[in-house]
Amino acid sequence: MRVARERLEAEGLTVERGDRQLLHGLALVVESGQAIELTGPNGCGKTTLLRVLAGLCLADTGSVRWCGSPIAEVRPEWHAALAWLGHLDGLKAELTAFDNLALEAGVSAPAALHALAQVGLAAAAEVEAGRLSAGQRRRLALARVLLSARRIWLLDEPFTALDVDGRALVRRLMIEHVTAGGMLVYSNHHDEGIGLARRLALPPPIEIGANPIEIGEQPT
Amino acid sequence: MRGEVSTAREVLALLRRDLAVLGARPADLAQPWVLFLIVCTLFPLGASPSPALLAEIAPAVIWVGVLLTLLPAVEPLVRADLQDGTADRLLLSPAPLPLLMLAKATVACIAVALPLMLIAPVAGWLFGLPWPAVPVLALCLLLGAPTLCLLGLAGAALVVGLPRGGLLLPLLLLPLLVPVLIFAAGAVRAAAQGFPAEPAIRMLAALALLALSLAPFAAAAALRLRGQAG
């Protein structure tokens, strides 16, 4: 039996958007039981970094590796390990909250109901997602992340649109995930993240032509 | 083996979800064939109602009607996914993306093409097409309508939501659609005039196979590009 330590690593990431350079050779490592919080001003590339890590975007330089292999080579394994929450919730407005979860691959009805209860939406199970409030939709999208039982969560602004209770709930779910050995990378512009996450502050973009600066963690 | 099982599950989940979304809006499902019936009703009113003329123009009218009603109905399937973030989730699915795109084309066939396949032969009969041409029309629809769904899906995945994408889509697809129109209407016309329809039907089948083998990959590549930009 193969016991490969699960590990997401990125190094030398640089992304160019028009005449601006983002990330400037960023490196990071996440292992089992670790979390990274991405912070930084608007437009500094938090979302872009998450999309590059997920494999939705290609970086102009640098590489992202899952368990040692570039993610392009182990795409099915990487995507089977990954749960994604983008700034769009990825919910179908026409379907009820329950159906949005229960029609996912490999989700049973009791599991979907349990996940709805976990995020405080048990009473809204039969309401169409399009009629939920923005905060409720965010909770529903998080319920789908929970249900997916994936090892690594990439969450783009998970606290957006949530009330105080909702933010506390998300913090608790994230802490439970990480302490159970999961991995987590999330972006955050609220003051309160989770204490056990390492904070990675992204610098502002620079005009191309200036000297790139090395930031972030070096691979260990 | 386990990978194949999870791929099958992902594909089935996409089919179930998309069909459930369409089932939640039955009025939208009715739109293409209502539009098609309107086209078929207006032509005899606008042209001369002479039976000979109607039988003559029937293949062209029916196929133009199918083209014009089917493509705008396929486009929203892709537009919704791009707008609500489902496209990103398809890109991050462990299942191969071209397979998911093929499943999406299947949804389009069931929801949009199937009703037209059922109605159009009836419309042909009402237009006074001679009997041997009606089954040929049905066969051509069976081959041609899924081809249009596949092409429409790939085109929509490439341009929907871009600035002026609405204008770009017909321009992009036109050269690909014209052969389908020519051979499909040609087969029906040949059958109506008592000539063999088989050569045109074979060409149509070749076009269908070509679309089936290439369009899912084109749609997948287009969606990846959209993910790169978004």
Side-chain angles (χ1 to χ4, degrees):
Chain A
M1 182 164 161
R2 193 170 56 101
V3 190
R5 187 154 169 71
E6 288 186 328
R7 173 187 169 96
L8 172 68
E9 36 186 341
E11 59 178 6
L13 292 181
T14 300
V15 176
E16 284 171 16
R17 283 277 183 269
D19 53 358
R20 297 184 319 158
Q21 189 192 57
L22 303 172
L23 308 181
H24 326 309
L26 178 135
L28 62 80
V29 178
V30 198
E31 291 186 337
S32 182
Q34 294 183 346
I36 290 186
E37 178 182 83
L38 306 174
T39 60
N42 291 135
C44 70
K46 299 190 289 287
T47 297
T48 303
L49 174 56
L50 284 167
R51 292 182 74 85
V52 167
L53 292 177
L56 288 168
C57 281
L58 290 175
D60 289 292
T61 65
S63 66
V64 180
R65 286 192 300 277
W66 172 243
C67 300
S69 315
I71 52 171
E73 287 172 20
V74 291
R75 203 186 63 84
E77 292 83 1
W78 168 229
H79 287 168
L82 159 74
W84 170 259
L85 175 67
H87 69 278
L88 295 169
D89 293 317
L91 300 168
K92 285 293 172 197
E94 297 86 351
L95 300 180
T96 63
F98 173 76
D99 280 344
N100 260 297
L101 298 181
L103 291 176
E104 287 291 305
V107 172
S108 69
L113 285 173
H114 178 67
L116 281 174
Q118 270 182 299
V119 297
L121 284 179
E126 292 306 319
V127 179
E128 286 89 12
R131 291 173 51 216
L132 296 173
S133 74
Q136 285 176 313
R137 279 204 297 275
R138 208 65 183 155
R139 283 172 186 243
L140 185 55
L142 280 158
R144 195 179 49 218
V145 170
L146 272 181
L147 261 181
S148 68
R150 305 280 170 90
R151 272 106 67 204
I152 177 159
W153 292 1
L154 300 183
L155 313 180
D156 192 4
E157 302 285 3
F159 300 113
T160 296
L162 290 174
D163 54 17
V164 177
D165 287 348
R167 292 202 292 275
L169 170 79
V170 172
R171 271 197 298 280
R172 185 166 57 73
L173 293 173
M174 292 199 300
I175 290 168
E176 279 172 11
H177 173 67
V178 174
T179 48
M183 288 165 263
L184 169 65
V185 181
Y186 71 101
S187 61
N188 185 16
H189 66 242
H190 293 257
D191 296 332
E192 9 158 38
I194 56 173
L196 50 78
R198 279 173 293 153
R199 191 171 269 217
L200 180 54
L202 303 186
I206 50 175
E207 300 292 322
I208 290 177
N211 279 335
I213 41 172
E214 287 283 331
I215 60 137
E217 307 164 52
Q218 295 306 315
T220 45
Chain B
M1 186 64 203
R2 207 170 133 247
E4 285 160 25
V5 172
S6 81
T7 295
R9 273 208 316 218
E10 296 280 341
V11 170
L12 277 177
L14 184 145
L15 284 173
R16 275 199 310 172
R17 186 180 62 226
D18 275 15
L19 288 174
V21 168
L22 288 167
R25 290 180 313 188
D28 286 11
L29 279 179
Q31 193 200 334
W33 57 264
V34 169
L35 212 60
F36 176 75
L37 282 182
I38 291 174
V39 170
C40 289
T41 328
L42 290 183
F43 253 94
L45 293 177
S48 134
S50 107
L53 178 75
L54 288 184
E56 172 84 24
I57 61 169
V61 171
I62 288 171
W63 271 99
V64 170
V66 167
L67 266 178
L68 291 183
T69 53
L70 191 140
L71 290 174
V74 171
E75 190 214 282
L77 295 175
V78 180
R79 181 184 294 273
D81 277 6
L82 286 165
Q83 280 175 348
D84 66 17
T86 308
D88 282 345
R89 299 187 44 233
L90 295 179
L91 286 167
L92 294 175
S93 164
L97 194 55
L99 210 57
L100 295 176
M101 290 293 104
L102 190 60
K104 220 154 171 64
T106 311
V107 171
C109 283
I110 294 172
V112 182
L114 193 63
L116 289 177
M117 285 183 208
L118 298 177
I119 294 176
V122 180
W125 177 67
L126 291 175
F127 265 91
L129 271 184
W131 168 246
V134 176
V136 169
L137 174 61
L139 184 61
C140 287
L141 281 162
L142 200 63
L143 293 169
T147 310
L148 298 180
C149 284
L150 283 159
L151 294 175
L153 188 79
L158 192 61
V159 299
V160 157
L162 293 182
R164 288 179 292 284
L167 194 66
L168 213 51
L169 185 60
L171 283 177
L172 186 76
L173 287 179
L174 194 65
L176 302 169
L177 301 178
V178 164
V180 178
L181 177 70
I182 289 174
F183 288 114
V188 180
R189 212 169 36 242
Q193 293 167 353
F195 295 113
E198 200 190 312
I201 292 177
R202 280 178 188 272
M203 283 306 291
L204 205 54
L207 290 174
L209 286 177
L210 206 60
L212 185 66
S213 51
L214 295 181
F217 291 94
L223 210 60
R224 286 223 172 83
L225 275 177
R226 305 301 292 272
Q228 171 76 17

